[in-house]
Amino acid sequence: SQQGEEDPQALSIQEGENATMNCSYKTSINNLQWYRQNSGRGLVHLILIRSNEREKHSGRLRVTLDTSKKSSSLLITASRAADTASYFCATVVLHTGGFKTIFGAGTRLFVKA
Amino acid sequence: EAGVVQSPRYKIIEKKQPVAFWCNPISGHNTLYWYRQNLGQGPELLIRYENEEAVDDSQLPKDRFSAERLKGVDSTLKIQPAELGDSAVYLCASSLDFSLGQVSSYEQYFGPGTRLTVT
């Protein structure tokens, strides 16, 4: 089962515009991570935000976390054609035997040059 | 630094045949994961190893899937016999997993995956 649900499923924007993707989850988390996957490639870690944090920045990326609403958002500012990829949120939850990472179904972002 | 290495990159087999995937994690990473990713979906965990111990294999279909991680380094995932529904991308990932009490802080490094097609 997938705990994280991304919204929208697909997003198409012009280069230079901002892209916002949302992730909702169901159970309490230890931390939440965002990953990017280019076509036919493995996933690449972008950013991690802990459950006691509300906002984090990394370059053109801004992530927010609202634990009361069980949701997170990823903002990519000044998008580039190279940002075209699928973006996944992954929730890390405490589980029998340690921690477990659960990925959502992803948002497919297409940035038009 | 070399990343996670997987082989083969692509595999086409007929149903009922066996297949095996190999993964070499990043040197020093104690945790290794096998995921299955269906088209248009996120990765789903099959099994997680901490060193040579399988600590979470609850999602592994044990009637046909098996995995091993010898000496806590390389790992092999096997399917026998393969079914049509096994067609997917099989991803291996590794992490330097450390936990301080109830806080976990790690990122996973993924290999390029093996695309399996069962005909």
Side-chain angles (χ1 to χ4, degrees):
Chain A
S1 63
Q2 295 186 319
Q3 154 155 263
E5 296 291 335
E6 282 94 338
D7 171 60
Q9 290 186 330
L11 181 60
S12 181
I13 59 174
Q14 290 291 139
E15 204 167 29
E17 294 180 337
N18 295 340
T20 299
M21 289 159 267
N22 303 296
C23 171
S24 59
Y25 56 91
K26 299 173 185 173
T27 63
S28 296
I29 62 172
N30 179 278
N31 66 74
L32 185 146
Q33 303 174 31
W34 286 90
Y35 287 79
R36 181 186 71 221
Q37 185 176 37
N38 292 92
S39 180
R41 307 282 292 277
L43 282 76
V44 174
H45 182 268
L46 296 176
I47 196 165
L48 179 154
I49 186 165
R50 303 184 198 290
S51 59
N52 61 352
E53 297 176 314
R54 292 297 168 258
E55 188 170 312
K56 246 186 149 171
H57 296 256
S58 177
R60 295 184 295 112
L61 305 180
R62 173 178 170 252
V63 170
T64 61
L65 179 64
D66 187 334
T67 53
S68 66
K69 295 181 179 178
K70 291 187 169 61
S71 68
S72 173
S73 68
L74 171 67
L75 169 67
I76 304 174
T77 60
S79 64
R80 305 166 182 168
D83 294 328
T84 295
S86 292
Y87 291 82
F88 296 90
C89 74
T91 51
V92 179
V93 301
L94 191 58
H95 181 73
T96 304
F99 293 94
K100 185 168 189 152
T101 305
I102 306 172
F103 286 84
T107 292
R108 277 133 202 91
L109 174 65
F110 181 66
V111 181
K112 294 177 280 187
Chain B
E1 177 184 276
V4 175
V5 179
Q6 289 187 248
S7 69
R9 289 295 312 277
Y10 304 92
K11 190 73 175 179
I12 301 174
I13 61 171
E14 294 183 345
K15 62 181 179 182
K16 302 184 181 179
Q17 294 301 305
V19 65
F21 314 121
W22 175 80
C23 174
N24 178 241
I26 291 175
S27 178
H29 280 192
N30 59 325
T31 304
L32 183 146
Y33 314 76
W34 281 104
Y35 289 92
R36 177 170 59 192
Q37 185 176 25
N38 292 310
L39 189 63
Q41 297 295 315
E44 292 183 296
L45 181 70
L46 292 173
I47 190 168
R48 175 169 66 95
Y49 284 92
E50 286 187 9
N51 299 306
E52 63 274 9
E53 182 184 0
V55 296
D56 185 355
D57 63 355
S58 57
Q59 304 280 68
L60 190 72
K62 298 181 183 63
D63 57 335
R64 298 183 299 107
F65 286 64
S66 64
E68 60 181 9
R69 190 183 185 195
L70 299 176
K71 301 180 181 179
V73 182
D74 293 0
S75 178
T76 303
L77 177 69
K78 298 179 181 178
I79 308 175
Q80 182 172 11
E83 297 178 352
L84 295 176
D86 296 331
S87 294
V89 175
Y90 291 82
L91 295 165
C92 178
S94 69
S95 67
L96 183 59
D97 194 353
F98 60 96
S99 299
L100 301 174
Q102 294 299 302
V103 177
S104 171
S105 181
Y106 62 91
E107 64 181 87
Q108 297 181 35
Y109 294 79
F110 282 79
T114 296
R115 183 176 297 277
L116 174 67
T117 301
V118 182
T119 63

